[in-house]
Amino acid sequence: MCGILGYVGPRAAAPLLLEGLRRLEYRGYDSAGLALLHGGAVTVTRRIGPVTSLAEAVDPAAAGTTGLGHTRWATHGRVTEANAHPHLDGAERIAVVHNGIIENHAAIRALLEGEGVRFRSDTDTEVLPHLIRKFYQGDPLEAVRAALHAVQGTYGIAVLFADHPGVVIAARNGSPLVVGKGDGETFIASDPQAIAGFTRHVVYLEDREIVRLTAEGWELTRLDGAAVTHTVEVLAEELVWSDKGEFHHHMLKEIHEQPESLRRCLSGRVVPEEGGARLGGFDLTNREIATISRVAVVGCGTSYHAGVVGTAAMEQLARLPAYAEVASEFRYRNPVVDPHALFLAVSQSGETADTLGAVREIQLKGGRVMGVVNAVGSSIARQCGRGVYVHSGPEIAVASTKAFTSQVAALLVAALMFGRTRHLGAEEGRRFGEDLLAVPKLVEAYLAHPGPIAQAVELLSEAPFVFFFGRGVSQAVAMEGALKLKEVAYLPCMAYPAAEMKHGPIALIDASTPVVAVVPTDGMRAKTLSNVQEVRARGARTILVHAEGDEDAPALADISIPVPRTRSALVSPLLTVLPLQLIAYQVGIALGRNIDRPRNLAKSVTVE
Ligand code: GLU
């Protein structure tokens, strides 16, 4: 969500900042802006819409070797040029870019207005440049520090001062920031992706830390003045920017990367010879695994759906009581945190504010929480300290596809590992491990021949409303399929447990409401097929996603989409979700949607 990039060094800042902002585009934003410091003055350019509009407005030869860039995802104030960042103080000598929310902005604004300050925007952010001005007595670092003492809320900010060319001040509380050190130049960014093309040497800021950047380096302290030391980390090779290659959209490319991303997630972790699995990042002894009282997964959106599959597997394979919960609900209901439970925080970006909040709540209550995260070095990964990286590689499209399947795969591996210690025999474990390891090839086979997706797209793109249903882990797949269709096609739709339809939603069914049913060959297949009959009897046209070789399902389908068969029903979501991803993508195309950057959405949701 939204992005920050700052530069201090010998090079012209504008082209670097614009390139970096393009690399942040995938996170979702609605407007963009740039501040350049030159000749003792700050020049600000802002535009609504894509970074390309901003780039057209900025003179490519613009002078200035100190600058800030920002992509905004509006929280306070509409999407207008005046509300876009950077924001300036009254004298236009201090420029601020901000990610996050200043919660006490109204009180600060009232106070400053009482002192005669005139505001130019409706944002919460604009209190910052005015507050910094109020405390400024010649030392930029101390002015920002003093201003932040008055502020409540979340922020990643970067600030420049017209009086101090070659200096950028940045601070973090709840919104990620990373410093990048190049040769005689220094960067600050909200996401290492923005600077990966310029340098690989980075330092991640922790909450309530402030940093003064110059071309030569940085000085990092805590907001309360205490000293901190940080080690420089080297960014992983996989952060190198991936382009779309032969594909028209990142989403389609990422769907097709799933055989490879699943291989990366599974390799070296499933050990069929032992009938088990190893996830070193959990750092749990077998004795510790044996004494886990239950497992709880917290996540948001797609990550929550992966958690629903994962917890079903923990229950079945390890006979562990397990449930998944939406992180935003969990964190605020004063949850009971059993110190013997294992909590797992699932997040692609590792920056999801609600999930990070849940992690902190669990830790505060003495619980044990581990991350299931894609982005290496992200806030959740670091806050948890232990966990598993899902290794799906950078996911650029806002709608998650390959990260979902890798999250599911990682949770299935964890379930196998816990299961083998607690409940599963070697033979059962070996079978499940083999079935998991077979998945990448099956995914490849399906994607090579995806079946009648075009027919499904024709049916759905005309529909005013679509139902998805399934049972057990297929209910999680139905939820994920419906979410994809909302995200990239903006199509009203709903996922329901198949048997729940008759308790209300079936009232909505008629010939205009297609139903997508996820019916793999598992113990509930016959029951779900009965539910399919029920909606057909009321006129619904049906799209059935079922296992190859199923002889009954096609007869109940207007459109029948077979996927490769797997022995383990718990593995089936990795296959049944594929047609739903393709359908959402193709319906989005048919309806002319902005596939990789759907309206109103952000890739990593760093506000709560
Ligand atoms: N709350 C700020 C605004 O609405 C910052 C939004 C962002 O993080 O991009 O302007």
Side-chain angles (χ1 to χ4, degrees), residues 483-507:
L483 181 63
K484 289 298 89 118
L485 200 59
K486 288 173 200 153
E487 287 177 315
V488 298
Y490 316 155
L491 213 74
C493 57
M494 182 174 215
Y496 237 79
E500 275 289 297
M501 289 292 290
K502 58 184 174 294
H503 296 289
I506 203 163

Side-chain angles (χ1 to χ4, degrees), residues 364-567:
L364 188 130
K365 288 184 145 45
R368 174 174 52 172
V369 54
M370 310 213 183
V372 179
V373 164
N374 188 32
V376 176
S378 54
S379 300
I380 291 173
R382 285 177 298 122
Q383 182 73 30
C384 291
R386 291 196 272 171
V388 43
Y389 283 118
V390 305
H391 292 315
S392 53
E395 192 177 63
I396 307 298
V398 165
S400 178
T401 52
K402 65 175 180 170
F404 172 75
T405 45
S406 288
Q407 288 168 344
V408 169
L411 290 168
L412 293 178
V413 174
L416 173 59
M417 179 169 95
F418 300 161
R420 185 71 184 95
T421 296
R422 299 173 61 102
H423 179 74
L424 279 184
E427 184 52 25
E428 287 166 283
R430 188 184 57 74
R431 276 167 65 96
F432 188 77
E434 280 174 5
D435 291 350
L436 260 182
L437 290 175
V439 165
K441 259 203 148 42
L442 299 180
V443 171
E444 211 160 66
Y446 171 74
L447 291 173
H449 302 285
I453 299 294
Q455 284 176 38
V457 170
E458 205 176 313
L459 175 59
L460 297 184
S461 44
E462 312 245 290
F465 195 88
V466 182
F467 269 102
F468 285 73
F469 69 53
R471 287 170 182 249
V473 289
S474 298
Q475 167 55 14
V477 174
M479 291 194 287
E480 177 59 10
L483 181 63
K484 289 298 89 118
L485 200 59
K486 288 173 200 153
E487 287 177 315
V488 298
Y490 316 155
L491 213 74
C493 57
M494 182 174 215
Y496 237 79
E500 275 289 297
M501 289 292 290
K502 58 184 174 294
H503 296 289
I506 203 163
L508 297 175
I509 294 286
D510 62 24
S512 72
T513 48
V515 174
V516 182
V518 185
V519 206
T521 300
D522 60 14
M524 286 161 300
R525 173 180 156 280
K527 300 263 180 228
T528 312
L529 289 179
S530 298
N531 301 131
V532 172
Q533 301 266 30
E534 288 158 12
V535 293
R536 281 173 73 82
R538 285 153 183 87
R541 280 173 296 168
T542 52
I543 299 171
L544 261 61
V545 176
H546 58 85
E548 270 165 6
D550 185 323
E551 288 178 358
D552 308 313
L556 298 179
D558 292 278
I559 298 158
S560 146
I561 306 180
V563 298
R565 183 177 282 268
T566 164
R567 249 185 333 198

Side-chain angles (χ1 to χ4, degrees), residues 202-257:
V202 299
V203 169
Y204 292 96
L205 262 66
E206 300 292 341
D207 280 350
R208 305 205 62 74
E209 287 180 355
I210 184 164
V211 64
R212 179 176 179 274
L213 309 173
T214 60
E216 291 74 42
W218 68 82
E219 294 153 35
L220 187 62
T221 48
R222 289 194 51 81
L223 269 183
D224 61 14
V228 267
T229 44
H230 267 287
T231 40
V232 177
E233 295 179 38
V234 180
L235 288 177
E237 216 37 61
E238 62 185 31
L239 266 180
V240 175
W241 185 247
S242 60
D243 64 25
K244 289 181 288 210
E246 66 195 275
F247 295 98
H248 280 106
H249 295 97
H250 285 291
M251 183 178 176
L252 189 60
K253 174 170 180 269
E254 288 159 8
I255 289 172
H256 283 271
E257 280 171 355

Side-chain angles (χ1 to χ4, degrees), residues 1-3 28-31 70-78 83-85 87 98-102 121-126 154 156 175 606-607:
M1 179 172 283
C2 46
Y29 66 101
D30 45 57
S31 47
H70 187 263
T71 50
R72 175 176 187 241
W73 189 84
T75 66
H76 291 58
R78 295 179 63 83
N83 287 339
H85 303 208
H87 290 285
H98 166 226
N99 286 168
I101 294 174
I102 305 299
S121 80
D122 305 320
T123 62
D124 53 330
T125 301
E126 201 193 335
T154 54
S175 286
T606 51
V607 293

Side-chain angles (χ1 to χ4, degrees), residues 270-333:
V270 179
V271 193
E273 314 75 78
E274 295 173 8
R278 288 193 205 122
L279 288 169
F282 278 156
D283 197 17
L284 286 169
T285 63
N286 290 335
R287 179 174 284 272
E288 284 169 325
I289 292 172
T291 56
I292 294 172
S293 60
R294 56 200 175 105
V295 175
V297 174
V298 290
C300 304
T302 289
S303 301
Y304 163 68
H305 299 157
V308 174
V309 178
T311 48
M314 308 268 175
E315 193 168 276
Q316 288 185 37
L317 298 181
R319 302 310 295 156
L320 267 165
Y323 74 101
E325 187 172 349
V326 168
S328 55
E329 289 297 315
F330 174 87
R331 65 183 289 199
Y332 286 119
R333 68 172 165 78

